Amino acid sequence: MLFKKRVQMKPKIEFIKEYFSGCETAWQSPGILFRVRNGKGLLQQAYGTKGGDGLYSLMFGEIPLIRVHGDEYMCPTCQKLISAGYGLDKAESAVMGDLRAALNGPFLSLAQSLKDLAPLLGLLPSGFYALADVQLYPTDGDGHFFWAVNNTPRLNQATCPVYEDGNWAEEYPAFVLPSQPPSHYHPERAEYYRDKPECRAVAYNIGFLNVLLDGHHKATAAALEGRKLNALVILPMTGISYPAESKSYQAKLGIGGEWIGIDELGINVEEAKRLLPARRLTEKETERCLALTEKSFDESVWTKQLLDTARRYPTAYVLASTQWSGGLSEERIARIINREEFADEDQIKYLCTALSFMEHPRFCELAFRVGKDERYARIWRSVFGLLVNIRNEQVEDFFIEHLVNDDGLRPEATEIVNAYLNDAADSG
């Protein structure tokens, strides 16, 4: 009997095109579409269930790098909880170490980065991906320093497209989660990168969130400097759209928020289905994934300086509000304040939310006008809730005037005003 020896084919990374034909992506960053052939499948997404609970994890082999907890069906539009993974350091791979020389050098181009990252990209499952040069916020998208995650699951609004009052936010790469435990943090490394913003981190995208594969100290340096993190982000396929009965439209793959025709990729529908990069965990594998914990995620104590850096950056809700605001141009803001353009209550609420976070010089002016216009009475509570973060004479005078004219019909707004003025009196 003849036995054929199985040959492990070497992974191959194929450049397809500059992403979106040279147009700016939704997050205004250039990208490259590429294909992985003969991928090793070591670095991949995995889903599993235990009882009535669901688990999503980005895995390196059998090591969970981050854990996202939800219901049994991992509802795509529901907020989920995040807990720390076991640590990329446990994976015992020399790939990341071999890449650091290229990653710590000056960024030349995405095409060059695709070549430099080939050993890492070959660890992905076979399929289509994009590599984008993106600026990320070094927070978890829910108001916390990115590395301050622990083994206790915590609800995070950035785990799904933000929804409110019939509005859905478009997800795009924005925030950061760690894959390395805090025991690997060295302050001197973060200090080294503080004046080197050109050095890229590497991350894997999961909606608003991006799991750092390399660059934890670069992200920490960015947080200390109050700037964004430059990162090369791997964007996997997120879905396939194809006709059920009619053949009137072409099947497409979703990658990074865009839909690309399979004819352009040279594959058919059945092949496209097989390429969706997700591993199904058995219940036993899910239990093991949940049981692996790295104690330094719970034991490390971050400095107040680092924890406070998250205040400088928007949350997922602020990014959603920016999308729903109708536009933040100076001209539009001026037209609305001067009553030359009408914006409905929701748009005004989201506009105020975005301007408040930005500490825009005309936020108070807009908020005062809204607070004196009965057409916007439904959102006074929201707008007043933003004004209370500002302690100055103008806000105090506005609230006093509101009380003088208060008809008592909106007790929730009156309560906010009274609390602000009482606090001002106590501190004065």
Side-chain angles (χ1 to χ4, degrees), residues 99-341:
L99 291 175
R100 287 200 174 99
L103 293 173
N104 290 337
F107 175 75
L108 300 176
S109 67
L110 270 173
Q112 183 61 48
S113 296
L114 187 70
K115 295 178 183 178
D116 292 338
L117 292 176
L120 172 65
L121 301 178
L123 302 180
L124 297 166
S126 297
F128 294 92
Y129 302 83
L131 182 70
D133 187 25
V134 182
Q135 289 192 317
L136 305 173
Y137 301 108
T139 79
D140 69 350
D142 206 42
H144 307 102
F145 173 57
F146 82 94
W147 218 337
V149 62
N150 57 36
N151 292 309
T152 301
R154 180 171 63 197
L155 196 65
N156 187 314
Q157 193 169 34
T159 53
C160 67
V162 182
Y163 173 82
E164 186 175 89
D165 297 332
N167 297 304
W168 288 101
E170 178 185 355
E171 291 182 296
Y172 60 93
F175 307 108
V176 172
L177 293 173
S179 69
Q180 290 282 19
S183 57
H184 284 245
Y185 172 59
H186 300 288
E188 65 276 8
R189 292 299 295 162
E191 285 297 321
Y192 172 79
Y193 287 114
R194 289 186 71 162
D195 63 350
K196 298 174 177 61
E198 70 280 0
C199 293
R200 265 47 175 187
V202 179
Y204 187 102
N205 176 254
I206 50 173
F208 274 129
L209 297 166
N210 303 270
V211 182
L212 279 180
L213 303 175
D214 180 78
H216 292 66
H217 291 97
K218 296 169 188 173
T220 304
L224 290 169
E225 290 295 308
R227 56 175 166 79
K228 296 179 183 179
L229 169 68
N230 288 310
L232 298 169
V233 176
I234 301 167
L235 297 145
M237 295 185 295
T238 54
I240 178 172
S241 170
Y242 57 92
E245 300 293 338
S246 170
K247 296 184 179 180
S248 60
Y249 69 90
Q250 180 189 12
K252 297 180 180 181
L253 286 182
I255 306 176
E258 294 291 322
W259 291 94
I260 301 169
I262 61 173
D263 287 353
E264 183 179 355
L265 302 175
I267 58 174
N268 58 40
V269 172
E270 293 306 314
E271 186 177 5
K273 291 178 182 178
R274 292 194 297 270
L275 290 176
L276 287 173
R279 168 187 171 188
R280 183 68 183 179
L281 300 173
T282 65
E283 185 165 333
K284 185 176 182 180
E285 289 173 328
T286 303
E287 289 179 357
R288 180 182 180 277
C289 184
L290 290 168
L292 291 172
T293 57
E294 162 58 50
K295 64 181 182 179
S296 70
F297 278 108
D298 290 334
E299 295 176 351
S300 296
V301 178
W302 296 103
T303 65
K304 184 176 184 300
Q305 180 188 19
L306 281 173
L307 295 176
D308 286 348
T309 60
R311 299 178 183 176
R312 303 171 180 170
Y313 301 102
T315 62
Y317 182 76
V318 170
L319 293 189
S321 295
T322 301
Q323 292 182 26
W324 302 331
S325 68
L328 300 176
S329 71
E330 297 294 333
E331 294 79 8
R332 181 170 184 264
I333 295 169
R335 289 196 301 271
I336 292 173
I337 290 175
N338 296 329
R339 297 183 178 176
E340 297 170 355
E341 177 178 328

